[in-house]
Amino acid sequence: MIIDIAQACDLVIFGAKGDLARRKLLPALYQLEKCNQIHPNTRIIGAGRANWTKEEYIETIKKTTKTFLREDIDEHIWDKLIFRVHFFNIDVFKEHYFTKLKKILNQTNNIIIYYCAVPPSAFHAIFEGLGKVNLNLFPSRIIIEKPLGVSLKTCKKINDQIAKYFLESQIFRIDHYLGKESILNLISLRFANSLFFNNWNRKMIDHIQITVSEEVGIENRWNYFDEMGQTRDMVQNHLLQILTIISMDQPKNISPTNIRNEKIKILRTLDTINIDNINEKTVRGQYTSGNIRGKKVPSYIEENGANPNSQTETFVCIRVDLKNDQWLGVPFYLRTGKRLAYKYSEIVVVFKEMPINLFNKPNNLSRNKLIIRLDPNENIKIDFFKKTPGFNEICQLTSDRIELSSSTKTTSNRIDAYERLLLESMKGSQSLFVCREETEEAWKWIDPIIDSWKKTKQNNLKLYPAGTWGPKNSDKIIMKDGRYWHEFDSK
Ligand code: BG6
């Protein structure tokens, strides 16, 4: 049952000492505490491999929370938060620790939520450990996060392992993009406005561009990233989530099941990319050294711990075609990369030309566009044409741009993705989480792309200097179709 307030929970964070817990989860819990969103009886149990007392744990997390919070710590809120915090020393590979954990969890009737903030190699031990002492039973909930495998096969394995102990209704798979305000707003934008709704099809739309550009490099996660590459790390999950939300049919209602079903239908209509069309539809690149905001940065293969022969892609551009009535003939161009010139995410919907042109529209004027900036400075703009002002004839056109919504950057109610997702899990609502089928359908489409790259070996990796917009070939992918990337505008 879904209720609209957070229930009294015991939130057990496996991997309490790790990066995710310290960077994201604790700052998010602090913010939820500040907004009075956490139930008064909720407990937070950090579980990790250390002989720490509660006090030692709190001291450590205070340091990191201070670093990762977007503001100074308010001692009053911090005290409220740490009153709930406990630390539990656990080796997830040993059963007797779970028996001890059970004793702690039996102290209350709270709903138990397990957050697996650990590498996937420890997932199975946790599922099994909880299962052995019946800590897996409904209504407990479990949160897992990517990478959910590196292929369909490995993803299925994780899904099968968890399904042995937990029902699908207990499993909350995180894709943090689904917690972002701007992504959620896409659903409202599309289905609450007849202006957009009625024009959202192949009759009106020429093509759609989705760009997720990052300035960051690999930092200290070279080994993880090198196994993944940008396609598995970003496209399999975040970009495909954006694509499904932007292209799905109107769901019967906005219930989690109906939205997920529509998204799954889209994943099933993605045209397969294989050895026959891999070169025509994809470009993969890797960054060389360069400058980002005036600072020199090393190449991918010179990062800490790197293998100089790595052929992993840090950039990818894909032309995606959908085989359904609504989108036949409307390509979706996806591109994402690390160490690009600027961090931003944007969807650009490019409309078709007028069927009959009554005006002198210079060739350099582009088409009508709906530009949805997801990050930063979230906003929506429309490019349109109007008469050139002055004594000119009516048929002289210039292009103009209107901004439909101002940036939400400065609004005080901006909610971080992890805050929203933690809160939703405390409410028991799965709408913003990914279901098993979505993860597997996404891999089904990604696997042949990665296999085809392997088969075509070295010649398909294009180098690009850090601080640019990726390899020139990504322009070719769109230009050979007579189209252009929408130019980045930092406003
Ligand atoms: C993560 C990826 O899922 O998303 C990272 O593993 C990536 O490699 C990050 O940098 C991007 O998230 P955001 O919210 O900064 O766009």
Side-chain angles (χ1 to χ4, degrees):
M1 188 183 55
I2 300 169
I3 48 169
D4 206 35
I5 49 161
Q7 296 157 287
C9 302
D10 274 358
L11 174 64
V12 182
I13 304 177
F14 291 107
K17 290 160 51 197
D19 219 39
L20 177 63
R22 290 179 305 126
R23 269 174 188 266
K24 297 285 186 188
L25 305 185
L26 283 150
L29 287 165
Y30 172 92
Q31 293 294 355
L32 290 176
E33 187 74 84
K34 183 174 153 193
C35 305
N36 286 319
Q37 294 288 336
I38 308 182
H39 190 285
N41 297 339
T42 288
R43 301 190 299 176
I44 299 165
I45 301 163
R49 250 182 116 168
N51 266 321
W52 283 347
T53 59
K54 167 178 167 136
E55 288 67 33
E56 282 167 326
Y57 180 55
I58 288 171
E59 201 182 313
T60 326
I61 57 175
K62 186 163 189 184
K63 275 190 211 139
T64 45
T65 308
K66 267 185 183 162
T67 315
F68 296 113
L69 214 55
R70 304 182 295 270
E71 60 197 43
D72 290 339
I73 285 195
D74 175 327
E75 292 298 334
H76 172 68
I77 296 164
W78 180 252
D79 287 347
K80 252 176 98 183
L81 180 70
I82 59 168
F83 184 70
R84 310 169 178 282
V85 172
H86 303 264
F87 185 76
F88 178 68
N89 174 22
I90 189 167
D91 177 348
V92 295
F93 296 94
K94 298 200 175 120
E95 192 182 331
H96 68 268
Y97 285 97
F98 287 93
T99 314
K100 270 199 210 159
L101 178 63
K102 189 171 185 176
K103 280 196 191 128
I104 299 175
L105 295 174
N106 277 348
Q107 290 163 353
T108 72
N109 285 326
N110 285 354
I111 305 254
I112 310 167
I113 305 178
Y114 306 105
Y115 199 124
C116 299
V118 293
S121 51
F123 280 177
H124 186 229
I126 295 177
F127 309 153
E128 195 179 51
L130 294 171
K132 279 190 176 154
V133 296
N134 290 333
L135 277 176
N136 57 326
L137 303 179
F138 187 83
S140 70
R141 299 167 195 156
I142 185 154
I143 304 178
I144 52 174
E145 188 158 358
K146 72 183 253 286
L148 297 182
V150 292
S151 61
L152 176 61
K153 190 170 160 212
T154 47
C155 174
K156 273 193 168 158
K157 189 172 166 196
I158 297 176
N159 281 335
D160 286 344
Q161 285 172 344
I162 197 166
K164 219 169 134 190
Y165 301 100
F166 293 89
L167 305 168
E168 187 62 24
S169 60
Q170 294 176 273
I171 306 171
F172 291 65
R173 292 181 192 77
I174 284 199
D175 179 319
H176 79 275
Y177 269 49
L178 290 184
K180 291 188 184 226
E181 186 75 30
S182 54
I183 304 279
L184 294 177
N185 192 31
L186 288 177
I187 300 183
S188 326
L189 185 76
R190 288 201 48 205
F191 301 115
N193 296 291
S194 62
L195 170 68
F196 299 125
F197 181 74
N198 291 321
N199 291 312
W200 218 255
N201 53 51
R202 69 186 161 105
K203 267 199 210 139
M204 306 302 295
I205 294 176
D206 178 75
H207 73 278
I208 295 184
Q209 305 179 7
I210 302 175
T211 301
V212 178
S213 156
E214 303 187 86
E215 283 174 36
V216 287
I218 303 308
E219 265 93 52
N220 292 322
R221 5 174 249 160
W222 204 89
N223 284 336
Y224 157 80
F225 188 85
D226 202 55
E227 193 191 357
M228 301 298 284
Q230 192 74 350
T231 312
R232 290 179 171 123
D233 187 45
M234 294 293 289
V235 181
Q236 190 274 344
N237 35 76
H238 308 323
L239 273 90
L240 283 184
Q241 281 297 329
I242 300 178
L243 186 143
T244 52
I245 293 175
I246 205 80
S247 60
M248 71 182 181
D249 255 354
Q250 177 172 256
K252 277 200 200 94
N253 54 42
I254 51 167
S255 73
T257 319
N258 283 319
I259 294 181
R260 284 166 168 190
N261 286 346
E262 292 306 329
K263 289 200 286 174
I264 292 168
K265 276 193 216 156
I266 291 292
L267 291 169
R268 291 195 180 130
T269 64
L270 301 181
D271 200 15
T272 312
I273 298 182
N274 54 28
I275 192 92
D276 298 329
N277 54 13
I278 189 84
N279 289 330
E280 179 198 320
K281 290 202 172 189
T282 70
V283 169
R284 60 196 290 273
Q286 190 186 77
Y287 62 83
T288 57
S289 59
N291 283 290
I292 302 242
R293 295 182 186 253
K295 205 178 140 220
K296 194 156 174 31
V297 295
S299 67
Y300 176 68
I301 52 169
E302 288 164 336
E303 297 272 15
N304 258 345
N307 163 5
N309 299 319
S310 170
Q311 289 292 311
T312 296
E313 82 284 356
T314 57
F315 174 96
V316 62
C317 167
I318 309 183
R319 175 187 156 136
V320 186
D321 291 280
L322 271 62
K323 290 182 300 180
N324 68 9
D325 255 11
Q326 193 177 357
W327 296 113
L328 201 69
V330 181
F332 288 68
Y333 298 96
L334 271 46
R335 58 175 178 167
T336 178
K338 303 259 185 282
R339 288 282 191 233
L340 298 183
Y342 203 89
K343 176 169 171 61
Y344 83 104
S345 313
E346 195 165 78
I347 300 167
V348 180
V349 180
V350 182
F351 289 89
K352 290 208 153 128
E353 297 273 12
M354 287 292 292
I356 298 172
N357 187 3
L358 299 178
F359 301 91
N360 293 334
K361 197 163 103 174
N363 285 342
N364 61 351
L365 285 193
S366 166
R367 301 175 180 191
N368 287 143
K369 284 179 190 162
L370 173 68
I371 304 151
I372 308 168
R373 172 64 65 82
L374 305 171
D375 189 36
N377 308 338
E378 193 183 311
N379 60 36
I380 298 169
K381 293 174 191 160
I382 292 186
D383 279 0
F384 68 105
F385 303 107
K386 62 176 195 183
K387 178 189 168 302
T388 308
F391 291 122
N392 310 299
E393 292 171 35
I394 189 171
C395 59
Q396 292 293 328
L397 297 185
T398 34
S399 62
D400 207 345
R401 181 169 287 177
I402 40 172
E403 191 160 331
L404 298 184
S405 63
S406 55
S407 161
T408 51
K409 198 178 171 191
T410 50
T411 57
S412 55
N413 58 357
R414 188 166 177 87
I415 302 170
D416 171 80
Y418 280 91
E419 287 164 38
R420 189 190 308 277
L421 295 173
L422 277 169
L423 184 60
E424 289 299 298
S425 69
M426 290 177 190
K427 290 179 184 172
S429 164
Q430 285 184 314
S431 353
L432 306 184
F433 296 83
V434 182
C435 68
R436 172 170 190 158
E437 253 182 300
E438 277 175 275
T439 57
E440 295 182 4
E441 288 296 335
W443 279 120
K444 248 186 227 167
W445 184 73
I446 292 285
D447 275 0
I449 299 181
I450 293 174
D451 284 353
S452 307
W453 280 332
K454 275 192 201 135
K455 285 179 191 144
T456 51
K457 282 265 170 69
Q458 322 279 350
N459 56 6
N460 58 20
L461 188 68
K462 312 283 177 217
L463 301 178
Y464 62 96
T468 62
W469 291 114
K472 285 272 174 291
N473 291 54
S474 70
D475 296 341
K476 284 190 194 151
I477 284 231
I478 187 164
M479 281 165 73
K480 73 176 161 43
D481 297 339
R483 301 175 173 116
Y484 302 88
W485 289 115
H486 173 71
E487 231 169 80
F488 171 69
D489 158 15
S490 64
K491 275 179 261 146

